[in-house]
Amino acid sequence: MKKAAALIILLAAIPLSIAYLDQPLALWAHAQFHGVRKTFHNVTRVVEPMELLAMLGLLWCGARFAFGRLARPEAALLRLSLAVLTAIGAKDLLKLAFGRTWPETWTNGNPSFITDHAYYFAPFHGGLGWSSFPSGHQTVTAAFCGALWVLAPRLRFLCVALMPAVAIGLIGADEHWLSDILTGGLLGWLIGGFLAKVELPKAA
């Protein structure tokens, strides 16, 4: 019941953020932190090793599985790796589908809210300048944390620290709208939680 209520609240928060919170928060972040945005950006870079490690984890577990059953730690590693890689694919597809503009201009003169007052969705437009929604960094982080939350309860403190840190970095650097972060967090968490529990095939 609590999980269903939390899901409903988060789903309701996304359109409310788009309508009322995204623009004021982006303007505030730009005014307060534009001069030190690189510091906030560096916080979000904690996500980058996750993608490489997920691929290496998948390759390692695949090789191990080819020669027999996976040990329990390897099965956990496989689930974590699948969660991260699935999140990457999901967020890329949704970015294309929604085609949202960014808060700030950062690539090839992309239209942005701060520079051009651009604030819209252009579904299936394509291109980096129209791929703000959802936040890929938060999706990947939440997928990792969602799986870790189930697989290693003793490490939940990492999730409690990591997800807010990435979110704060994204907002402080004006790299994403609040609704991008909420959507990415929800999407990633659902992916991570599901793949942490999915039954793995047994070796022949």
Side-chain angles (χ1 to χ4, degrees):
M1 200 65 183
K2 291 181 180 179
K3 292 181 180 179
L7 179 61
I8 291 171
I9 290 171
L10 279 172
L11 287 173
I14 293 167
L16 288 174
S17 180
I18 292 172
Y20 301 109
L21 299 177
D22 284 0
Q23 295 179 61
L25 186 58
L27 289 171
W28 176 80
H30 178 77
Q32 298 294 322
F33 307 121
H34 184 73
V36 292
R37 62 180 301 189
K38 188 174 181 180
T39 301
F40 285 93
H41 172 74
N42 288 337
V43 174
T44 70
R45 299 190 69 178
V46 69
V47 180
E48 295 172 8
M50 290 183 190
E51 301 180 357
L52 175 59
L53 292 174
M55 181 56 68
L56 293 175
L58 181 63
L59 292 174
W60 170 260
C61 292
R64 290 283 294 147
F65 182 76
F67 294 99
R69 293 186 178 182
L70 296 175
R72 187 172 180 179
E74 292 170 329
L77 174 61
L78 177 58
R79 288 186 170 94
L80 278 169
S81 299
L82 289 173
V84 170
L85 295 173
T86 301
I88 292 171
K91 60 93 175 172
D92 285 345
L93 289 173
L94 289 175
K95 282 177 178 289
L96 173 63
F98 284 97
R100 190 182 197 185
T101 53
W102 301 85
E104 288 220 40
T105 300
W106 60 272
T107 176
N108 298 321
N110 62 284
S112 72
F113 178 66
I114 297 298
T115 304
D116 313 292
H117 295 93
Y119 185 72
Y120 61 88
F121 291 85
F124 300 101
H125 183 286
L128 287 176
W130 290 263
S131 55
S132 180
F133 184 92
S135 163
H137 281 71
Q138 196 69 8
T139 304
V140 171
T141 303
F144 174 82
C145 289
L148 191 67
W149 191 271
V150 175
L151 296 168
R154 292 182 180 180
L155 298 178
R156 286 179 177 177
F157 69 92
L158 290 176
C159 305
V160 174
L162 193 58
M163 286 188 63
V166 172
I168 291 170
L170 292 170
I171 291 173
D174 231 356
E175 292 182 350
H176 272 290
W177 308 102
L178 176 60
S179 56
D180 298 345
I181 295 167
L182 292 174
T183 305
L186 177 59
L187 173 65
W189 191 267
L190 292 175
I191 290 172
F194 169 72
L195 288 174
K197 297 177 182 179
V198 71
E199 185 175 352
L200 296 175
K202 300 290 190 298

